[in-house]
Amino acid sequence: MSTMRESADVPAWPVYALTVHDDGRVLASGPLIETSGHPTRAAAIEVVAGAAGRLGRSVRATASEPDGAVWPLIVSPDGEVSEVKTGRPRAAAPKKRAEKRRERRQEKDRGRRAAKGAAKEGSAAAPRPGAPEGGEAYAESLAQVTGHLDAGRTDEARALATQLDTQVAGVLGVSHPVALGVREVRARATAEAGDPVAGIQLYRDVAERWHYRGDAEQAEAVAGRAEKLWTGITDVERALSAGVAVVRMRNQIPGEGGAALASVLAHRERLLRTPVAEAAPEATPVTATPATAAPVTDAGTAKGTEAVAGRGAAAGAEVPEPPVAVSSAPRSSRPRPRTAPSWERPAVNARKAG
């Protein structure tokens, strides 16, 4: 929801035009950006906010509605939208257009209610009105991500995949099949960019959402990719950190007969038992006890010690120290006790949770 704001502190240039069409799409134009259409108002505002970020300050914009109403706005670099205070009442839209706009809004509301009822048994968000039905609109961008990965430009691939994931989820919903496919590509790009833990967490999210949609085959396929990525991590502490997501995921998707869950639990136990290398201290010379030293028994510890001390003093020799027990195993090979991390509870099945 926009707020009212004084405009004296925002320069008159630049001004961006946001034109809203009858189908809900928004055309954005102005300096520093390319004229482009967007499926939602939020997507158009995000483009203007990006331009404001490059300028390092808020910018002006005008939003034109299909009924002819014009809204003077101020958009900040973080995407916050404020309505400019003009000091005079806003002009009302013509009556006929206002009625048509109300009818369109009511029709959209009925469509949303119908979609919500159809998706009641699953957790997937219904596509927004006017959203593309398939992934054709995003095929070119996905091809660019794959091209970056094949060329070894992993950072570029990760950045583009993250941006695309956010855009598709905002248009179609986070659990739409197209959005899940894009997020899986993002998981691969994230892992190849050097962050396997984040990649595993993204794979886990995708696998669980397929599970909630009732597609067991897709859920198992993605879960297998997450598990394979996890078992390939050689750093013990890092693997244990990523294991939180994997164990949670396999509690939801245990595999045939629970075999996959048993496998990840066994791997976690091996990680917990893995020794942690430590720097071995310098060896301390130990003086062997002469064979002539009298043994000291538990029953006569004080008496035996006094006897040895007396004989040593009489002979003018130093009294030897008791023998020191030293482990023959190197210090670095001895396991250090490890405390298992607190694992997350399994995600709640949205279909049962209502």
Side-chain angles (χ1 to χ4, degrees), residues 250-270:
R250 280 306 186 185
N251 270 284
Q252 298 293 300
I253 313 167
E256 186 175 358
L261 175 59
S263 176
V264 299
L265 291 176
H267 185 65
R268 184 191 67 175
E269 291 302 318
R270 286 193 294 271

Side-chain angles (χ1 to χ4, degrees), residues 1-248:
M1 180 181 295
S2 62
T3 58
M4 301 296 291
R5 176 175 173 178
E6 298 287 351
S7 62
D9 56 339
V10 180
W13 185 94
V15 179
Y16 295 88
L18 302 174
T19 305
V20 184
H21 296 280
D22 289 335
D23 60 357
R25 294 183 62 83
V26 182
L27 182 69
S29 61
L32 305 179
I33 65 172
E34 295 182 0
T35 301
S36 56
H38 303 276
T40 63
R41 297 168 189 256
I45 288 295
E46 184 177 355
V47 172
V48 177
R54 290 192 291 274
L55 292 173
R57 60 174 175 81
S58 298
V59 297
R60 295 174 180 269
T62 56
S64 301
E65 298 287 350
D67 59 8
V70 178
W71 302 75
L73 306 174
I74 292 177
V75 181
S76 67
D78 61 2
E80 181 182 357
V81 180
S82 304
E83 183 184 351
V84 177
K85 295 179 66 175
T86 59
R88 58 181 181 275
R90 192 181 305 113
K95 184 176 180 180
K96 291 184 178 179
R97 292 184 179 179
E99 291 177 354
K100 290 182 179 180
R101 183 182 179 188
R102 183 168 56 255
E103 291 174 358
R104 287 195 301 267
R105 185 165 56 248
Q106 292 173 350
E107 183 179 353
K108 289 181 180 180
D109 290 340
R110 287 193 295 270
R112 290 192 186 97
R113 287 194 294 270
K116 185 177 180 181
K120 188 175 182 180
E121 296 299 323
S123 64
R128 291 177 173 82
E133 293 297 329
E136 296 82 3
Y138 311 104
E140 183 177 353
S141 297
L142 280 175
Q144 292 178 4
V145 175
T146 304
H148 284 314
L149 289 173
D150 294 341
R153 298 186 294 270
T154 55
D155 290 337
E156 290 87 343
R158 181 181 185 180
L160 180 57
T162 300
Q163 180 181 0
L164 186 61
D165 182 21
T166 303
Q167 178 184 356
V168 177
V171 174
L172 299 176
V174 293
S175 294
H176 190 278
V178 175
L180 294 180
V182 171
R183 195 166 307 119
E184 187 175 347
V185 174
R186 177 187 175 186
R188 175 195 166 192
T190 300
E192 293 189 14
D195 194 351
V197 177
I200 289 170
Q201 291 169 346
L202 287 168
Y203 275 131
R204 188 270 308 165
D205 179 77
V206 174
E208 288 185 357
R209 292 184 186 277
W210 278 122
H211 171 68
Y212 293 150
R213 289 182 63 89
D215 195 328
E217 183 178 355
Q218 285 282 9
E220 178 57 39
V222 179
R225 295 184 186 97
E227 185 177 342
K228 182 178 180 180
L229 181 59
W230 178 50
T231 56
I233 299 177
T234 56
D235 182 85
V236 176
E237 299 296 337
R238 205 174 191 185
L240 284 171
S241 175
V244 175
V246 179
V247 172
R248 164 183 164 165

Side-chain angles (χ1 to χ4, degrees), residues 293-321:
V296 179
T297 63
D298 291 340
T301 300
K303 183 176 180 181
T305 303
E306 291 174 357
V308 172
R311 288 195 300 271
E318 294 183 359
V319 178
E321 295 290 337

